[in-house]
């Protein structure tokens, strides 16, 4: 307003101008609305009044909005720009020329024509009218705009509309306010740099530079500062849109914080798992090394225990066999010797079974599966037990064997199980009783039944069967036993892929059975007797020629025993070397026809003695027979692999020793 102007004249001119504008608005199809804003001390334009026409045009309860900031009243696209324009009107006093505005797109859906002028210091008047068209078009526009607004506000993705030139926030949806923590009125009209979304204008320009080339921008991961000071990870996608000829950026923000936290948790979990795997691998390696060391220690212990127990048994059983073979004993003394031998054999059986159990537990008992014909094996076992059955007048019934009964098993272990079950059937039977054996065809398997007429077993007793050292109070009956046989048999049958069990009732006897897989008939099988021990050489009646034997043995009792066992061969001259070095000297000085060699020797073991004998030209061809208390199968296999012509385990069997020696000496 210029100085010196008549206020009354100006008011008349203004009233006339308003009448003309009202006429223009009516011609355009709608009434003229008036809004008055005042600039407060904080720089906010606030609504101070709204006439009825303005409220009707905008369909808003503007009366309830009196005192509210302009940005909250018109936030969609024009709020920030209109605010700045009205501030400029107050500052400069120049009117705002007519312009097209979307004052409330969420409600009317139509553009408006508006202009503004200063009415008083710090106050501005905004006049506007609706750019009306046909009613149908206007209704459709309102409907579409309402639908778009609803979609925007209900979108699960945070959406913001900003001006491209400065980043002023024009509008946001509900998800955006939840993500950032800023209320809608706190964000509208402020720039993204003010809110800390970008560190500076350069950072914003670099991030939005793809808009210049492609009109879109995609940032897979961006950090966004929230109202409470946190940073959230978002995937930001933006595209350029033009509204009223002004470039805006429509930004979509997808909260990636949970995903990133999950990925970080997954990375930490993977790192932890890798650490655990590494640690567990190290622990397993250590456990494996400890297990291997424990296995070696156990094997060494078993071998040592076997050696220490068999050495005295060798003397007990060996001298007992010599006494029994003699003719100078009275019947009473012969009975004493028989009891000594029986007790010694029982102790040897206990040692063998305990060692077998220990080897099974340590995984050191080898099982060799092959087709095994049951007929000859059953005959062999029954022939061995007939003398024991005859002593108590127990009948061994003729076995019921099906033709072609062949199992896939380890022959030695099947023989061991059969002997155990048959000997138990005799041992725990009554005098004059009966024992029967039958093979039953079960298709894929053969079942072997061993039945007796003993006292039978209760259900409670059957539950205690097949446990280590469990004899079911049989020791009160005086029957000898170790309580290991059934437990060992169960383990052996299971190792061969079979099953074992019992059927019994008190006072009705018992039937112990075991099943083994069926197999095709073996190609050929040696007679059991031929495989058991070597046959003596038949000299055809001619006296054998003199032979020299050297026995390298540090134990005097063992040396004396072998000398007495060979006393029945007068053509054999036996020399004894108590030390390995002396034995080597004697062998070189006067080579014998056969060397008997102990394994456990002081200073140098039998394997080193054998190596030196083979390395010396003078002794290289002399056969060497191992006599050792190291009686485990692995010991025998090692000895034969080292070059011994044979390997006899202590306690020595008199007949077997003589047969082997006779077979190795020249005729």
């Amino acid at each position: 307003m210029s100085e010196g102007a008549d206020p009354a004249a100006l008011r008349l001119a203004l009233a006339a101008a308003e009448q003309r504008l009202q006429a223009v608005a009516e011609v355009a199809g709608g009434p003229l609305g008036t809004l008055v804003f005042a600039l407060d001390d904080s720089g906010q334009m606030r609504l101070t009044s709204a006439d009825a026409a303005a409220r009707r045009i905008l369909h808003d309860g503007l009366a309830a909005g009196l005192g509210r900031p302009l940005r909250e009243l018109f936030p969609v696209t024009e709020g920030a720009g209109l605010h700045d324009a009205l501030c400029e009107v107050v500052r400069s006093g120049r009117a705002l020329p007519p312009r097209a505005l979307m004052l409330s797109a969420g409600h009317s859906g139509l553009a408006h024509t508006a202009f503004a002028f200063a009415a008083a210091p710090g106050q501005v008047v905004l006049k506007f009218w609706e750019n009306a068209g046909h009613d149908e078009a206007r209704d459709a526009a309102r409907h579409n705009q309402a639908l778009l607004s609803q979609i925007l506000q209900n979108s699960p993705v945070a959406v913001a509309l900003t001006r491209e030139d400065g980043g002023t926030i024009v509008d946001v949806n509900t998800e955006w306010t939840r993500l950032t923590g800023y209320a809608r009125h706190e964000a509208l009209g402020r720039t993204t740099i003010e809110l800390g979304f970008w560190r500076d204008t350069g950072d914003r320009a670099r991030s939005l530079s793809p808009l210049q080339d492609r009109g879109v921008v995609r940032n897979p991961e961006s950090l966004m500062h929230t109202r409470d000071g946190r940073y959230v990870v978002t995937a930001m996608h933006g595209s350029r849109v033009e509204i009223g000829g002004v470039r805006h950026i429509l930004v979509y923000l997808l909260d990636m914080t949970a995903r990133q936290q999950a990925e970080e948790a997954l990375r930490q979990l993977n790192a932890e798992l890798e650490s655990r795997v590494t640690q567990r691998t190290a622990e397993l390696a250590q456990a494996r090394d400890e297990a291997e060391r424990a296995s070696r220690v156990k094997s060494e212990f078993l071998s040592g225990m076997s050696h220490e127990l068999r050495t005295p048994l060798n003397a007990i059983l060996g001298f007992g066999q010599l006494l029994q073979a003699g003719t100078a004993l009275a019947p009473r003394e012969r009975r004493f010797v028989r009891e000594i031998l029986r007790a010694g054999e029982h102790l040897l059986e206990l040692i063998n079974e305990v060692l077998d159990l220990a080897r099974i537990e340590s995984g050191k008992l080898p099982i060799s599966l092959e087709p095994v014909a049951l007929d000859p094996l059953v005959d062999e076992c029954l022939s061995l037990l007939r003398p024991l059955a005859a002593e108590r007048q127990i009948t061994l019934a003729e076995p019921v064997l099906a033709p072609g009964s062949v199992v896939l098993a380890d022959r030695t272990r099947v023989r061991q199980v059969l002997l155990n079950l048959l000997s138990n059937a005799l041992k725990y039977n009554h005098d004059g009783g009966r024992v029967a054996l039958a093979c039953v065809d079960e298709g894929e398997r053969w079942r072997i039944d061993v039945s007796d007429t003993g006292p039978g077993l209760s259900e409670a007793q059957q539950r205690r069967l097949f446990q280590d050292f469990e004899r079911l109070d049989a020791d009160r009956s005086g029957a000898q036993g170790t309580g290991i046989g059934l437990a060992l048999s169960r383990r052996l049958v299971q190792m061969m892929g079979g099953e074992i069990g019992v059927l019994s009732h008190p006072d009705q006897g018992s039937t112990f059975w075991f099943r083994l897989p069926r197999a095709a008939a073996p190609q050929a099988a040696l007679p059991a007797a031929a495989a058991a021990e070597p046959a003596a050489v038949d000299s055809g009646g001619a006296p054998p020629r003199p032979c020299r034997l050297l026995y390298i043995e540090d134990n005097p009792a063992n040396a004396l025993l072998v000398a007495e066992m060979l006393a029945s061969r007068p053509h054999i001259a036996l020399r004894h070397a108590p030390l390995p070095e002396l034995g080597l000297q004697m062998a070189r000085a006067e080579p014998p026809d056969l060397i008997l060699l102990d394994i456990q020797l002081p200073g140098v073991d039998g394997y080193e003695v054998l190596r030196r004998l083979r390395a010396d030209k003078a002794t290289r061809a002399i056969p060497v027979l191992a006599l050792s208390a190291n009686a485990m199968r692995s010991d025998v296999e090692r000895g034969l692999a080292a070059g011994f012509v044979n390997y006899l385990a202590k306690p020595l069997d008199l007949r077997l020793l003589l047969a082997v020696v006779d077979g190795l000496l020249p005729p």
Side-chain angles (χ1 to χ4, degrees), residues 475-532:
D475 49 344
R476 299 178 184 175
S477 66
Q480 290 185 340
T482 64
I484 301 177
L486 286 178
L488 177 60
S489 296
R490 178 176 65 88
R491 286 173 168 82
L492 292 175
V493 170
Q494 289 174 346
M495 290 176 68
M496 293 184 289
E499 302 172 276
I500 190 170
V502 63
L503 296 173
S504 183
H505 299 281
D507 302 322
Q508 297 183 27
S510 303
T511 297
F512 284 83
W513 56 266
F514 65 97
R515 295 187 180 94
L516 291 173
R518 176 188 292 271
Q523 295 292 331
L526 291 174

Side-chain angles (χ1 to χ4, degrees), residues 102-125:
M102 293 288 290
L103 292 181
S104 186
H107 297 281
S108 69
L110 295 176
H112 303 79
T113 299
F115 75 96
F117 53 89
Q123 194 176 67
V124 65
V125 176

Side-chain angles (χ1 to χ4, degrees), residues 7 10 35 41 126 145 165 194 340 345 355 371 373 393 422 471 509 528 530 561 590 613 630 639 658:
L10 290 174
L35 300 174
D41 294 338
L126 178 70
Q145 193 66 29
D165 54 2
E194 286 181 69
I340 291 172
E345 290 168 355
L355 292 176
Q393 299 179 341
L422 287 168
R471 299 194 62 212
L561 174 62
E590 197 173 348
L613 289 171
N630 295 338
L658 294 177

Side-chain angles (χ1 to χ4, degrees), residues 453-482:
T453 55
L457 300 168
S458 66
E459 292 185 4
Q461 288 176 314
Q462 293 179 45
R463 286 193 294 270
R464 292 161 54 194
L465 280 176
F466 304 107
Q467 299 180 21
D468 298 348
F469 302 102
E470 177 59 72
R471 299 194 62 212
L472 303 181
D473 302 323
D475 49 344
R476 299 178 184 175
S477 66
Q480 290 185 340
T482 64

Side-chain angles (χ1 to χ4, degrees), residues 162-170 189-195 198 200-201 204 208 246-249:
T162 67
R163 287 187 180 272
E164 184 177 343
D165 54 2
T168 302
I169 298 175
V170 174
R190 301 175 68 183
T191 67
T192 52
I193 295 178
E194 286 181 69
L195 297 180
W198 309 102
D200 51 41
T201 56
R204 178 178 183 270
L208 299 180
V246 180
R247 287 185 174 183
H248 293 73
I249 301 175

